[in-house]
Amino acid sequence: MENFRANIMLCAGTGCVASGTMKVKFALEKELKKTGLENEIKVVLTGCNGYCAQGPVMSVYPDDIFYQAVSVDEIPKLVEEHFLKGRPYEKLMFKEPEKKSAVPLMKDIPFFKHQVLRVLRNKGLIDPEKIEEYIARDGYQAAAKVLTQMTPEDVINVIKDSGIRGRGGAGFPTGMKWEFCSKVRSDVKFMLCNGDEGDPGAFMDRSVMEADPHAVIEGMIIGARAIGSHNGYIYVRAEYPLAVKRLQLAIDQCYEAGLLGKNILDSGFDFDLEIYQGAGAFVCGEETALMRSIEGKRGMPRPRPPFPAHKGLWDKPSVLNNVETLAQISLIIMNGADWYKSLGTEKSTGTKVFALTGAVNNIGLIEVPMGTPLKTIIFDIGGGIKKGRKFKAVQMGGPSGGCIPESLIDIPVTYEDVVKTGAIMGSGGMVVMDDNNCMVSIAKFFLEFTADESCGKCVPCRVGTRILLDMLIDITEGRGKESDIETLEDLSLDIIAASLCGLGQTAPNPILTTIRYFKDEYESHIKDKWCKAGVCRSLCTFMIDEKTCTGCGACMRACPAKAITGEKKKPHNIMQEVCVHCRNCYETCKFNSIRILPAAARETVKKE
Amino acid sequence: MTRLTIDDLLKIKEKHQAEFTLREGGYRAKVTVHMGTCGIAAGARAVMTALMDEISNASVKDVIVTTSGCAGLCAREPMATVEIINQPPVKYCDLNEDKIKQIFKEHIIAGTPVEKYVLVAGCETTY
């Protein structure tokens, strides 16, 4: 019997696989066989479902039931209850963070409810390793239309009219990029996909490549036809092995089915595509550096112009598009420019995928219309801040971006509005921070990253980021000087003006935005030698407030240095000589009794 | 896989339609076989299997089958509820393999409820 009455869509994205998807799959299949349901219930492995925090996750159709944190031990009970007796198993359902009540249906879960899926249209719904499933969801129809019914000009016009802007970060209009390249006369042109993703906290492209590799390939076929290219590369970093595996499988399937290679779908059009694995350098996400890397050289940027549309890979005209951009090209072709523009704002059309991480309750991958308020993303979809803490800022755009403070949480997320705050849309990483984050440390973290990843070709970036980082280290360790804030700002602006490529031109952004919105934290680090968030170890003293301490002993147990003393039910005490400032007591105390004081207070506290 | 033509793309889509009706919704009829302990003891599993076979043999793509717990009237099991979109749901009782096959042909495909097996019509809907 070929006919199944239910499909279990088990997430096999990198996150869920790491939490045990494969073990769950074997246990499920074993149990279904044992109960005689193996011909009625089908287990399908999908790409990233998006709700990564509670993996492995799975959804059951047609019931639309969503299960999270599925463990092997729960499988027998789950199969008996849901599949044998038809009673969805409450224990594994999604629970609202505050109410603790189970939400059975996927469509009712706030995390999924507020999303609009275009790029992620097939996530969790198809098996990415089967081309038939992609075709069954209208796959390759757009490529067929472009190859047989449209001229390259038609294609470029539709893409231009749709207003789609490159999702890699800078937001350059995709249609214009294609048009530039299409007008250059050359026998050889290259269609390239940028699957390098190096921002800390970003995993959008990886998920799309894992969950829907054919969508990316179809976008590339259409782009190739529009610009007149017959050769393409997908540049993926080697540290994304699952994405590489699924893309390669998809490419092999396409060659077999005649969707790549010579005479695609009997249209007379040829296009060859291969994967190029990068070694995982941040700068290789920059277009000119990426092209050098494919040429087999060291990935370093070069000045522009000439732009890659004229002289790109091997000095031939080339177009480089981001994974997320390419994954929605087929939808624009099938549904038209007006359909695409119906979501989003006038200048930022369509939807955007974000990787929501950090201090929010619902960590995962989301897609929302452009212009959705930041507040909706963090509080409705993200479910608010963990442990009921206070929202402080959201870091957008990775090391090239900046921090948006709480006062600006009502802004709509569009390219223009985000840039006004000093951050950038970037590829879509959103790291949410609560009041336990020290903003000087955050800036230091990103500068460590960019100083490390600078390719070293130009002096402003190579030397400048190092000087910025050294200053930040000094400030966080108590050696800050009064003039430091001005020096940081001046030097940042110089580096932005003088650097060769996007890496250096944006590296100072985390410093500039944190100074702009959290100057008081820099001042208190420099003048008072005080890290109020208690993150910079040399700049804080922990003590126990005798009035509110109940003597429960939780902090004592949490302290790795055995620095806390005291009798049961009597206020405890921290021995300053022994304390290593690890924050464990602060994180553990349920009564808010740990105080964070300036470093200078240590001596006074000791005397007391 | 052999080389595809544009027509093949549509054929593949057609072939997988039943599966995606399951995942995306958009079904015309839904049959719930009640699978409480009482139902299973009375033979609900055989009824379910017979129904799945019928659907499969008839290559019907817009009918989904699901299970639920005890419908509450244990003495009349096996029971099943047939819901055709925009029509009152119909609950059948005292089923066996032959009866469900007849219900499939006459009610689900042809649209006329098999009155002699009906327990009640117009009960609660689940879609």
Side-chain angles (χ1 to χ4, degrees):
Chain A
M1 188 164 51
E2 276 274 294
N3 210 357
F4 294 93
R5 68 173 163 89
N7 282 182
I8 300 174
M9 311 302 288
L10 182 59
C11 178
T14 295
C16 282
V17 168
S19 343
T21 292
M22 297 322 280
K23 281 183 192 157
V24 168
K25 177 181 180 259
F26 294 131
L28 259 175
E29 284 171 344
K30 196 174 135 201
E31 196 63 26
L32 288 172
K33 201 159 192 180
K34 201 168 128 195
T35 43
L37 293 170
E38 80 267 32
N39 293 326
E40 285 178 28
I41 317 284
K42 182 177 181 181
V43 182
V44 183
L45 288 181
T46 73
C48 179
N49 162 292
Y51 191 69
C52 309
Q54 292 287 331
V57 300
M58 64 189 219
S59 39
V60 180
Y61 296 104
D63 322 36
D64 196 34
I65 303 283
F66 179 77
Y67 291 123
Q68 63 178 22
V70 181
S71 68
V72 171
D73 300 344
E74 296 286 349
I75 298 296
K77 194 82 184 149
L78 173 79
V79 169
E80 186 191 338
E81 285 293 305
H82 189 150
F83 300 108
L84 204 56
K85 296 182 176 169
R87 294 190 292 229
Y89 189 43
E90 196 178 314
K91 193 172 166 190
L92 298 179
M93 285 175 188
F94 172 86
K95 313 273 189 312
E96 294 243 33
E98 291 92 31
K99 292 177 206 150
K100 308 279 177 213
S101 55
V103 185
L105 298 185
M106 197 153 153
K107 65 179 166 65
D108 294 333
I109 296 173
F111 180 78
F112 298 109
K113 197 164 67 178
H114 295 278
Q115 296 192 44
V116 181
L117 303 184
R118 282 184 174 178
V119 178
L120 306 177
R121 60 194 179 276
N122 288 329
K123 71 151 191 183
L125 213 53
I126 65 167
D127 181 341
E129 300 193 355
K130 296 208 169 82
I131 189 173
E132 294 84 359
E133 298 222 338
Y134 179 70
I135 294 173
R137 294 267 297 161
D138 291 326
Y140 293 109
Q141 299 277 355
K145 188 175 168 189
V146 164
L147 295 179
T148 56
Q149 296 168 32
M150 294 171 83
T151 64
E153 293 74 41
D154 293 340
V155 178
I156 288 169
N157 285 335
V158 175
I159 301 298
K160 267 169 76 179
D161 288 348
S162 75
I164 183 174
R165 299 167 65 168
R167 295 296 194 257
F172 189 81
T174 305
M176 269 170 70
K177 201 187 242 185
W178 288 13
E179 190 174 39
F180 291 149
C181 193
S182 75
K183 288 191 173 155
V184 184
R185 296 183 68 174
S186 172
D187 297 342
V188 180
K189 290 182 187 179
F190 291 102
M191 182 73 205
L192 309 171
C193 169
N194 189 347
D196 189 77
E197 187 173 44
D199 292 15
F203 51 94
M204 297 77 44
D205 292 347
R206 191 198 76 213
S207 298
V208 172
M209 291 185 284
E210 284 174 9
D212 206 3
H214 284 287
V216 181
I217 297 172
E218 187 173 9
M220 291 193 76
I221 297 172
I222 295 168
R225 162 77 174 162
I227 63 167
S229 156
H230 302 291
N231 295 90
Y233 289 97
I234 304 178
Y235 189 93
V236 194
R237 48 175 56 203
E239 59 210 61
Y240 279 0
L242 191 60
V244 170
K245 182 191 149 205
R246 295 215 173 121
L247 278 168
Q248 189 58 54
L249 194 66
I251 289 174
D252 294 345
Q253 289 166 346
C254 283
Y255 270 105
E256 215 179 305
L259 291 162
L260 282 175
K262 297 264 175 261
N263 192 18
I264 296 172
L265 291 169
D266 298 327
S267 65
F269 182 72
D270 308 333
F271 183 58
D272 282 301
L273 180 61
E274 61 182 284
I275 296 173
Y276 189 93
Q277 293 194 42
F282 184 62
V283 74
C284 288
E286 196 276 342
E287 61 178 353
T288 58
L290 183 149
M291 290 170 191
R292 293 296 84 82
S293 177
I294 297 181
E295 290 169 3
K297 298 174 189 151
R298 182 171 161 192
M300 290 205 282
R302 62 156 177 80
R304 293 169 300 178
F307 288 97
H310 294 99
K311 275 188 162 200
L313 184 60
W314 284 298
D315 286 342
K316 299 293 180 190
S318 307
V319 158
L320 176 74
N321 287 131
N322 173 265
V323 167
E324 192 186 329
T325 317
L326 289 167
Q328 43 192 340
I329 293 295
S330 63
L331 291 182
I332 301 174
I333 298 293
M334 289 308 284
N335 301 300
D338 287 334
W339 169 85
Y340 191 77
K341 280 189 288 195
S342 66
L343 282 185
T345 63
E346 198 192 332
K347 287 183 181 159
S348 297
T349 56
T351 57
K352 177 79 192 89
V353 180
F354 292 103
L356 194 58
T357 61
V360 280
N361 278 310
N362 301 334
I363 284 171
L365 198 70
I366 61 160
E367 181 171 359
V368 289
M370 289 274 190
T372 301
L374 204 45
K375 198 174 183 175
T376 308
I377 296 176
I378 293 167
F379 285 90
D380 297 336
I381 300 175
I385 310 300
K386 275 181 192 161
K387 295 181 184 167
R389 288 211 161 108
K390 197 171 153 6
F391 171 73
K392 186 170 186 176
V394 57
Q395 217 285 344
M396 272 189 76
S400 311
C403 291
I404 302 175
E406 199 208 356
S407 56
L408 297 177
I409 195 170
D410 289 316
I411 63 156
V413 179
T414 65
Y415 286 104
E416 309 81 63
D417 290 280
V418 172
V419 165
K420 271 188 230 154
T421 69
I424 58 163
M425 185 79 90
S427 53
M430 267 195 191
V431 185
V432 178
M433 292 161 195
D434 65 14
D435 50 4
N436 277 322
N437 286 99
C438 160
M439 302 317 273
V440 187
S441 287
I442 297 292
K444 188 181 79 175
F445 170 79
F446 283 108
L447 257 295
E448 271 166 7
F449 183 84
T450 36
D452 249 13
E453 293 283 350
S454 169
C455 78
K457 184 172 181 177
C458 71
V459 178
C461 175
R462 181 182 72 235
V463 181
T465 51
R466 191 66 231 181
I467 295 174
L468 289 177
L469 174 60
D470 286 343
M471 288 180 71
L472 290 173
I473 292 174
D474 281 347
I475 294 173
T476 54
E477 292 180 357
R479 298 184 298 273
K481 297 185 296 293
E482 292 267 344
S483 58
D484 277 358
I485 300 179
E486 288 71 34
T487 315
L488 279 173
E489 282 179 318
D490 285 349
L491 184 55
S492 290
L493 295 175
D494 291 344
I495 295 171
I496 290 173
S499 288
L500 188 57
C501 84
L503 196 156
Q505 285 157 9
T506 58
N509 283 350
I511 298 183
L512 291 175
T513 53
T514 46
I515 291 180
R516 182 158 153 192
Y517 300 115
F518 302 96
K519 200 171 183 176
D520 57 321
E521 290 193 33
Y522 280 86
E523 285 166 349
S524 102
H525 276 70
I526 294 169
K527 289 180 194 149
D528 312 331
K529 310 291 175 203
W530 186 12
C531 174
K532 287 180 187 169
V535 175
C536 303
R537 289 186 179 202
S538 347
L539 301 186
C540 52
T541 301
F542 290 85
M543 68 160 283
I544 294 173
D545 179 8
E546 289 186 6
K547 290 192 192 87
T548 52
C549 176
T550 61
C552 71
C555 58
M556 202 191 281
R557 287 189 292 277
C559 179
K562 299 198 168 22
I564 300 179
T565 57
E567 289 172 41
K568 263 187 191 169
K569 297 191 180 170
K570 283 186 183 159
H572 287 19
N573 184 38
I574 300 177
M575 291 186 286
Q576 295 302 324
E577 302 80 5
V578 190
C579 174
V580 293
H581 316 106
C582 69
R583 288 171 63 90
N584 276 12
C585 54
Y586 180 82
E587 298 283 343
T588 312
C589 182
K590 285 200 176 81
F591 306 96
N592 227 350
S593 299
I594 310 286
R595 298 276 170 268
I596 299 172
L597 302 176
R602 260 174 232 164
E603 293 308 312
T604 353
V605 174
K606 257 193 254 176
K607 276 171 208 156
E608 278 173 12
Chain B
M1 185 181 268
T2 49
R3 282 184 69 87
L4 297 178
T5 63
I6 294 173
D7 285 345
D8 293 333
L9 292 177
L10 293 170
K11 277 180 205 152
I12 291 174
K13 188 183 173 186
E14 173 73 12
K15 201 179 134 204
H16 284 74
Q17 201 188 325
E19 201 138 49
F20 282 91
T21 304
L22 267 189
R23 296 180 202 168
E24 295 171 81
Y27 48 85
R28 180 183 62 85
K30 174 176 172 183
V31 186
T32 307
V33 181
H34 301 283
M35 286 268 195
T37 307
C38 47
I40 293 172
R45 285 227 39 93
V47 170
M48 157 80 86
T49 309
L51 176 63
M52 294 296 295
D53 284 341
E54 283 299 290
I55 292 175
S56 191
N57 294 339
S59 306
V60 175
K61 306 205 185 291
D62 53 2
V63 178
I64 62 163
V65 179
T66 180
T67 58
S68 81
C70 169
L73 192 64
C74 309
R76 306 293 298 275
E77 294 281 4
M79 290 171 43
T81 308
V82 175
E83 296 172 69
I84 292 175
I85 299 283
N86 298 327
Q87 285 178 25
V90 176
K91 233 182 201 78
Y92 291 99
C93 59
D94 299 320
L95 291 173
N96 59 30
E97 289 163 81
D98 291 336
K99 287 181 186 171
I100 197 80
K101 284 180 186 170
Q102 196 182 342
I103 291 166
F104 175 76
K105 288 193 184 85
E106 291 179 22
H107 188 177
I108 297 169
I109 299 298
T112 320
V114 187
E115 276 189 30
K116 54 186 172 181
Y117 308 141
V118 171
L119 173 72
V120 60
C123 48
E124 72 280 4
T125 56
T126 58
Y127 56 77

